[in-house]
Amino acid sequence: QCLEAYLGTPYTPPADGIALEGLRRAVRHLEPAVANGRDVIARRELLAAALNAGLAAQKGEGGITAAARALEAEAGPGPRHGACHAALLPAVLAFNAPAVADRFAAIAEAMRLPRRADVVAALVDLAGRVGLPTRLAATGIEATMLEPAAHAAAADVANRTNPRHATAHDYQTILQAAW
């Protein structure tokens, strides 16, 4: 959520700073918190990152959120919130890259990566290390759900602040790539 807030279209510098700080905290403390649920410091820092995400969300959300909500609604009870987000991240960021590639250096810095590092690959690697699925099929999403979810994602309010406006056809392509 911090990532999408930072990449969102509204010009809100304070929210950008809050989002990058939340991303920094989340990337640094997610793995230790998952590895040891009794790591109070890591859990505290993830709570702080979640607060950052909530505060930064004033800018809006983006395509990952729009598509994840649509898929979760289509699937009904089943995929846990966040699992779809992780699986959608590479395809949505690839779609959005032409509009926001210049912002990836700041994301890399927040993640403590070299400036020209592959941010998407680093996030996918982190997701895998903490046990999040990297493909929608692994979440229980069925191929028949993709088309109706694509239409719902295009209509979702989060699509309004996505760095590139995405049509239902765009979401269909994104969902197919993530499945």
Side-chain angles (χ1 to χ4, degrees):
Q1 290 174 323
C2 287
L3 180 67
E4 284 203 297
Y6 178 67
L7 294 176
T9 55
Y11 180 73
T12 315
D16 287 347
I18 291 168
L20 287 172
E21 176 60 18
L23 182 61
R24 184 193 66 76
R25 287 176 188 277
V27 167
R28 182 170 178 204
H29 296 284
L30 180 62
E31 201 168 359
V34 170
N36 177 6
R38 293 180 181 263
D39 185 336
V40 177
I41 292 172
R43 291 172 60 94
R44 178 194 70 198
E45 292 302 314
L46 285 182
L47 285 171
L51 175 60
N52 282 58
L55 293 171
Q58 68 177 308
K59 282 183 64 175
E61 296 165 300
I64 295 170
T65 299
R69 276 198 290 242
L71 288 166
E72 291 166 359
E74 191 65 30
R80 52 178 210 247
H81 188 71
C84 288
H85 289 72
L88 288 162
L89 188 139
V92 173
L93 287 182
F95 174 80
N96 287 335
V100 291
D102 61 319
R103 303 200 87 181
F104 282 18
I107 295 167
E109 184 179 334
M111 294 175 63
R112 296 186 173 149
L113 299 171
R115 271 184 89 70
R116 298 203 187 275
D118 186 338
V119 168
V120 176
L123 289 167
V124 169
D125 183 55
L126 175 62
R129 289 195 315 266
V130 299
L132 289 171
T134 57
R135 308 296 308 166
L136 287 173
T139 69
I141 297 295
E142 298 173 13
T144 57
M145 299 174 184
L146 301 183
E147 186 176 346
H151 289 280
D156 192 285
V157 67
N159 193 36
R160 293 183 197 159
T161 51
N162 193 54
R164 287 180 67 196
H165 178 74
T167 65
H169 181 267
D170 294 326
Y171 276 110
Q172 180 73 29
T173 302
I174 289 166
L175 295 175
Q176 287 288 341
W179 195 71

